[in-house]
């Protein structure tokens, strides 16, 4: 299959063409404000099967259904809690996915066999226009091959999925760079299954009590993450990755020693404030510690660049886990397989 790559300049024409592909059961990758998504018609089981095949993703891992208007909710669920409307008013369109009980008519192929459905209204003009053009319901996981970092550029999608999908709409770089916050509203207490740009505090302000899946920030032996997708080793770079916590000077000293002792090709993920403390490795600053948004936007791109450069060992600084930092560290911990060393304890 030849994959067409179209710039999102003539938005109406591009989305009309892409909408036709979706209605016929084809797949279109498109930009959202978080990461690029790989879209198919959420009510067409064949489209969902094709999404799993194109990504090489296990089919028990449910997809997020993307909508463009609140009125679309009724076809997805007969049991919509007031909390969904309250959160939608505060955060939609935006980087928040909500899980509620699904209607029987929502295909099991789309929800990975679960009786719940994950729903999001993205905040991106291309995504919203495409959803409307494609019939109102687009099932879309992140548009990476399974196990690769999520794409923040159309070229990342092309690297992973060219020849396996019908079209890629190139809308330039995304805005946030890590995937949406997921909150499960189908149980007694709202529970965060994946941290993102919408933080625990922001959700608590609307909902009162909110819990977080206890497996988010540490590797747990017995505990299983509640979002099926969080169980797989996602975001895995090709090189071995280790994270280092502690005071900046201490971290830099430890990393420099590791690099000096290694015979492998090493990469370092640091911040603007510490970049000058390193040498003898491929060094990538993720941005300033005072601007977590830039750090989030650069993580996946830096990991892909390390893969392309054949980096065999990755040494990375840690970031504070306050606010949006929880989402940033959740992704870094997953990329590192939860391999984190506290440099102040080992001194
Ligand atoms: O920002 C995002 O959410 C991006 C863009 C494209 O919207 N999408 C995305 O989709 O990250 P994906 O498939 O890569 O991640 C969706 C996660 C998976 O971990 C999946 O297991 C979980 O959501 N999920 C989906 N439906 C679920 C459900 N009914 N119950 C529990 N977890 C669910
Ligand atoms: Mg994903």
């Amino acid at each position: 299959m030849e994959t067409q790559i179209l710039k999102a300049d003539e938005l109406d024409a591009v989305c009309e063409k892409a909408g036709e592909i979706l209605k016929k059961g084809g797949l279109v990758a498109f930009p959202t404000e978080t990461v690029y998504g790989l879209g198919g018609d959420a009510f067409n089981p064949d489209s969902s099967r094709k999404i799993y095949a194109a990504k090489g993703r296990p089919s028990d891992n449910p997809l997020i259904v993307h909508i463009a208007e609140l009125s679309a909710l009724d076809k997805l669920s007969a049991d919509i809690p007031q909390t969904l409307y309250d959160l939608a008013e505060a955060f939609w369109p935006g980087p928040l996915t909500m899980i509620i009980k699904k209607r029987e008519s929502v295909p099991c192929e789309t929800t990975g066999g679960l009786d719940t459905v994950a729903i999001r209204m993205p905040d991106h003009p291309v995504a919203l226009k495409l959803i409307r053009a494609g019939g109102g319901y687009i099932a879309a996981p992140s548009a990476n091959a399974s196990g690769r970092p999520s794409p923040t550029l159309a070229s990342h999608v092309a690297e992973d999925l060219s020849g396996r999908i019908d079209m890629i709409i190139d809308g330039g770089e995304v805005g946030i760079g890590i995937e949406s916050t997921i909150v499960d509203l189908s149980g007694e207490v709202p529970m965060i299954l994946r941290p993102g740009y919408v933080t625990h505090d922001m959700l608590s302000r609307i909902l009162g009590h909110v819990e977080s899946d206890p497996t988010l920030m540490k590797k747990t032996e017995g505990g299983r993450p509640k979002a099926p997708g969080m169980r797989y080793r996602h975001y895995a770079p090709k090189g071995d990755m280790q994270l280092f916590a502690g005071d900046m000077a201490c971290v830099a000293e430890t990393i420099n020693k590791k690099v000096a002792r290694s015979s492998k090709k090493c990469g370092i993920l640091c911040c603007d404030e510490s970049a000058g403390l390193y040498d003898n490795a491929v060094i990538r600053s993720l941005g300033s510690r005072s601007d977590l948004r830039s750090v989030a936007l650069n993580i996946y791109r830096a990991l892909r660049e390390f893969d392309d450069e054949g980096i065999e060992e990755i040494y990375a600084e840690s970031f504070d886990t306050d606010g949006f930092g929880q989402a940033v560290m959740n992704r870094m911990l997953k990329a590192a397989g939860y391999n984190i060393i506290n440099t102040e304890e080992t001194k």
Side-chain angles (χ1 to χ4, degrees), residues 3-4 44 59 86 130 134 163 176 187 196 249 315:
T3 302
Q4 295 183 64
N44 182 342
S59 60
D86 296 343
L130 180 67
I176 293 177
Y315 298 103

Side-chain angles (χ1 to χ4, degrees), residues 101-308:
K101 288 262 177 289
K102 81 170 184 78
R103 276 193 196 272
E104 226 157 272
S105 50
V106 180
C108 286
E109 286 79 358
T110 300
T111 64
L114 298 177
D115 62 357
T116 52
V117 57
I119 311 171
R120 175 162 113 80
M121 190 188 288
D123 186 13
H124 194 290
V126 177
L128 291 170
K129 197 164 272 248
L130 180 67
I131 295 165
R132 292 185 182 115
Y137 300 88
I138 300 190
S142 49
N144 51 289
S146 194
R148 293 272 283 155
S150 292
T152 60
L153 291 166
S155 59
H156 297 162
V157 182
E159 262 168 47
D160 285 12
L161 301 177
S162 254
R164 312 178 127 234
I165 62 178
D166 299 281
M167 185 189 276
I168 299 170
I169 305 180
D170 181 352
E173 191 172 48
V174 299
I176 293 177
I178 58 180
E179 309 83 348
S180 61
T181 306
I182 301 180
V183 61
D184 185 353
L185 301 176
S186 70
E188 293 277 300
V189 181
M191 164 115 43
I192 298 173
L193 306 190
R194 180 172 75 182
Y197 187 69
V198 176
T199 63
H200 188 278
D201 273 3
M202 288 158 80
L203 293 172
S204 305
R205 255 174 257 145
I206 309 287
L207 296 178
H209 186 54
V210 182
E211 287 182 1
S212 278
D213 182 345
T215 66
L216 291 182
M217 303 305 278
K218 53 181 191 290
K219 191 172 190 167
T220 50
E221 291 308 325
R224 272 164 77 82
K226 304 219 164 12
M230 300 294 271
R231 278 173 215 151
Y232 302 105
R233 189 173 172 223
H234 260 187
Y235 328 120
K238 290 180 190 148
D240 284 329
M241 178 163 162
Q242 218 169 17
L243 276 165
F244 295 83
D247 155 86
M248 203 187 308
C250 222
V251 167
E253 193 190 321
T254 310
I255 291 180
N256 279 329
K257 271 191 204 147
K258 297 248 177 204
V259 170
R261 273 192 229 123
S262 172
S263 56
K264 301 275 174 63
K265 187 166 183 190
C266 297
I268 298 174
L269 291 178
C270 58
C271 59
D272 290 353
E273 291 81 357
S274 67
L277 301 176
Y278 298 103
D279 62 89
N280 294 323
V282 179
I283 300 160
R284 283 272 184 296
S285 171
L286 296 173
S288 169
R289 279 186 185 272
S290 60
D291 179 16
L292 277 180
R293 276 198 74 144
S294 82
V295 174
L297 188 53
N298 288 322
I299 290 174
Y300 289 146
R301 181 183 187 155
L303 290 174
R304 277 180 182 264
E305 286 169 1
F306 276 181
D307 280 356
D308 295 343

